[in-house]
Amino acid sequence: MTDYYEVLGVARDASTDQIKKAYRRMAMRYHPDVTSEDGAAEKFRQVQEAYDVLADERKRSIYDRGGDPSGRASAGFGGAGGFGDFGGAGFDFTNLVDAMFGQQASRGPRSRVRRGQDALIQLELELHEAAFGVSRAISMETAVLCPVCQGAGAAEGSKPEQCRTCHGRGDVTQIQRSFLGDIRTSQPCPTCRGYGTVIPNPCGECDGEGRIRAPREITVKIPAGVDSGNRIHLASQGEVGPGGGPAGDLYVELIVADHPLFKRNGDDLEMVAKIPMTAAALGTELDIQTLEADQPDADPQEATVRLKVPAGTQSGTRLTVDGRGIPQLRGRGRGDLGVTLLVQTPTKLTEQQRELLRNLADLREETKVEAQVHKREKGRFERFWEALR
């Protein structure tokens, strides 16, 4: 009698997993489509025969006691030899596919309980909310646990039953004849959809799904310093899974609305302040509104700052108020508030105002002003051609 353990190269006390691994290795080595080695077909038949016996607990037990598990002589497959013998009764093409790809013919029933999908929603914030942080309540319609069956899917007093089509396996097998032997293919059971069980009396609220769609409200805590495009991850706050499975995650994408006064530049804020021509010439002090003024419980002392404008300030000058910008996200610092001054020239003057300005112009000898044109400097290439000319 052939020593099947020696054929597969395993010990007599080898486990089923060890036998499968050995078979997979030997089948990939000696399959005629893989190698042209002399005697490969014969060796492959021996490997297949050894695996058919040792992978089956009943046949292995008979073989270990010295009996013939196939009920026939141990002279192999009884054919004339050659590749055509693969179609004999001892060859199962499914085992070869399993060996090649590490798969099992039966996937088994799949669970009705699965994790829910992640969800993404957008939340619009005001600039001061993004800067200083806020807690916002958001409403959304999502999948929640069925309040009647609590995710079981079956009506009260009933429970899922084993599928009579697949007998609880979750899939059905089809066998097709080929020159290589029987080719087995498995697919989910059409009756139970691969679950292995059916619900004869489903819950009337969720129709056996274990979850329903309903509005839900949650509170989101927004940290200080966020910006448009930032996302907040809320674990297990997404959709409840089928069969009352664990909920997915919720991602809240933030969108910061434009502000009528301030423009954000990273952690800095920028604003424009208009001042009259006389104030720019003589110097002045301005009360500048800060972003704190937008908060509902704003402190009056924090809502404004005093900004000193030096005499002779030109239009377009940028002055800085330190530490009045946006707090850094997960940081301890804060950006600055930049104030760009726009000097306004009066367009409507009274006769008295005109006379005062004429007197000022006379005192400054500015009654006749010649335009100062800055000539563009010639480049090196232009000077070279002028030298040649």
Side-chain angles (χ1 to χ4, degrees), residues 322-342:
D322 296 335
R324 286 305 183 97
I326 302 293
Q328 295 178 358
L329 185 62
R330 303 184 188 90
R332 298 181 180 179
R334 185 173 173 181
D336 299 330
L337 172 60
V339 182
T340 300
L341 300 176
L342 182 61

Side-chain angles (χ1 to χ4, degrees), residues 109-114 194-195:
R110 60 191 181 105
S111 175
R112 291 183 179 274
V113 180
R114 300 195 303 278
Y195 295 121

